[in-house]
Amino acid sequence: MKNRMKILAASVLILCAAVIGFAVLYFVRGDGKNKNGLSGTKRTASKKTTQKPTQKPEKKTYIVVIDPGHQREQDTSEEPIGPGASETKPKVSSGTSGVSSGLQEHELTLQVSKKLKKELKKRGYTVYMTRTTADVNISNAERAGYAKKMGADIFIRIHANGSESHAVRGALSMAPSKKNPYAASLAVKSQKLSRMVLDEYCKATGMKNRGVMLTDQMSGINWASMPVTILEMGFMSNPKDDMAMKEKEFQEKMAAGAAAGIDRYVQELESEEDR
Ligand SMILES: [Zn+2]
């Protein structure tokens, strides 16, 4: 009995070894087929050739529409302050003027807007302007409509401020509030854009930073359909702001600052999308 058991155990061991041996040989020689009928060796090879390309997708080109505030002749006929609004405001007001420079606001806004366009194009943006001369008649609602028509990602409106007190100076920006009846969905992004444009503008020019003002009374904001900001570049009623803003070299700094703010906004937008 003892011998028989030994022989049986030895036979089982030999059988097992043989089965494992054949199995190893079968796969090592590459005869094993996968579901698609491809041999193991070939499958490894094809895996190498179908690797995904590693280059990044093409960078998006952002479209910026610049609106140089006002025009030579005001248009006092009225339009609704937002889509569906019963409240109306003049289509385009006359704007302010420089207490020392004698410049009209519509002249200053166009001078700086042209420089901003050049600066943004240099940074890779596609840029359009609502006007390139003083002799136009485009209402604030129409300016927002133009930005939409051009497929703008960002709508920046360039203005200068005026005050009864000559002492008031500095820059501010405007954005819709979260309670805006027409543009509430743009509030968060517009406020971010307004903050970044204003901060970079003040950093570049040394202008006093008066902060972001939330407003739901601006037709050109309420009619917008993309992130929007109004940059009030400085007070033309303050002799120091006024005389600084009329200088070409200072205007280059103003444009570079505003462009840097747009750059910061876009970078943050892209890093949010990557997350
Ligand atoms: Zn203005």
Side-chain angles (χ1 to χ4, degrees), residues 69-70 93-96 105-106 109 157-162 230 232:
H70 309 279
S93 62
S94 60
T96 187
E105 185 184 347
H106 74 81
T109 60
R157 311 183 58 214
I158 301 295
H159 282 257
N161 237 326
I230 295 178
E232 295 278 1

Side-chain angles (χ1 to χ4, degrees), residues 24-258:
V24 168
L25 261 177
Y26 182 78
F27 283 104
V28 166
R29 283 175 58 205
D31 290 341
K33 310 275 183 192
N34 64 18
K35 276 181 201 162
N36 300 322
L38 294 167
S39 79
T41 348
K42 268 187 186 163
R43 194 179 47 172
T44 319
S46 72
K47 213 175 185 179
K48 268 181 192 165
T49 53
T50 55
Q51 264 178 350
K52 279 180 186 171
T54 47
Q55 71 251 44
K56 281 183 179 175
E58 254 183 62
K59 209 171 178 291
K60 175 180 157 70
T61 304
Y62 286 83
I63 300 171
V64 179
V65 168
I66 306 170
D67 176 30
H70 309 279
Q71 58 200 24
R72 193 184 310 277
E73 300 295 336
Q74 64 178 347
D75 183 350
T76 54
S77 64
E78 306 241 325
E79 66 184 356
I81 66 159
S86 52
E87 189 182 344
T88 60
K89 265 173 79 174
K91 286 184 174 175
V92 197
S93 62
S94 60
T96 187
S97 59
V99 65
S100 306
S101 69
L103 265 182
Q104 295 296 307
E105 185 184 347
H106 74 81
E107 296 174 305
L108 176 66
T109 60
L110 187 57
Q111 287 171 7
V112 177
S113 293
K114 283 179 175 171
K115 292 184 174 66
L116 177 58
K117 180 183 180 180
K118 215 167 145 191
E119 184 66 34
L120 286 170
K121 282 182 85 172
K122 216 162 70 184
R123 292 170 187 245
Y125 294 89
T126 299
V127 188
Y128 303 103
M129 284 165 67
T130 56
R131 68 178 182 95
T132 52
T133 71
D135 300 305
V136 294
N137 190 12
I138 317 166
S139 81
N140 287 320
E142 285 166 352
R143 291 169 193 235
Y146 174 81
K148 186 181 183 183
K149 195 178 104 187
M150 302 318 282
D153 298 294
I154 291 163
F155 184 31
I156 179 165
R157 311 183 58 214
I158 301 295
H159 282 257
N161 237 326
S163 167
E164 281 179 15
S165 162
H166 289 185
V168 180
R169 62 184 180 89
L172 60 90
S173 59
M174 294 185 192
S177 81
K178 284 181 186 169
K179 286 180 182 165
N180 187 301
Y182 322 101
S185 63
L186 309 173
V188 172
K189 282 185 173 175
S190 298
Q191 288 172 24
K192 193 174 279 181
L193 174 67
S194 299
R195 163 60 58 200
M196 290 174 172
V197 166
L198 179 67
D199 285 354
E200 292 301 318
Y201 172 85
C202 290
K203 214 191 285 176
T205 57
M207 278 278 189
K208 180 182 172 171
N209 189 328
R210 303 184 69 91
V212 178
M213 188 178 150
L214 302 185
T215 172
D216 299 328
Q217 287 298 311
M218 295 293 170
S219 310
I221 286 180
N222 297 343
W223 282 96
S225 44
M226 71 290 298
V228 56
T229 187
I230 295 178
L231 177 62
E232 295 278 1
M233 304 180 290
F235 279 81
M236 295 183 88
S237 45
N238 174 268
K240 194 168 168 260
D241 275 10
D242 181 38
M243 290 308 276
M245 289 192 292
K246 81 172 178 73
E247 296 298 332
K248 297 268 176 293
E249 277 166 34
F250 193 76
Q251 289 181 359
E252 300 286 354
K253 289 183 190 170
M254 295 160 83

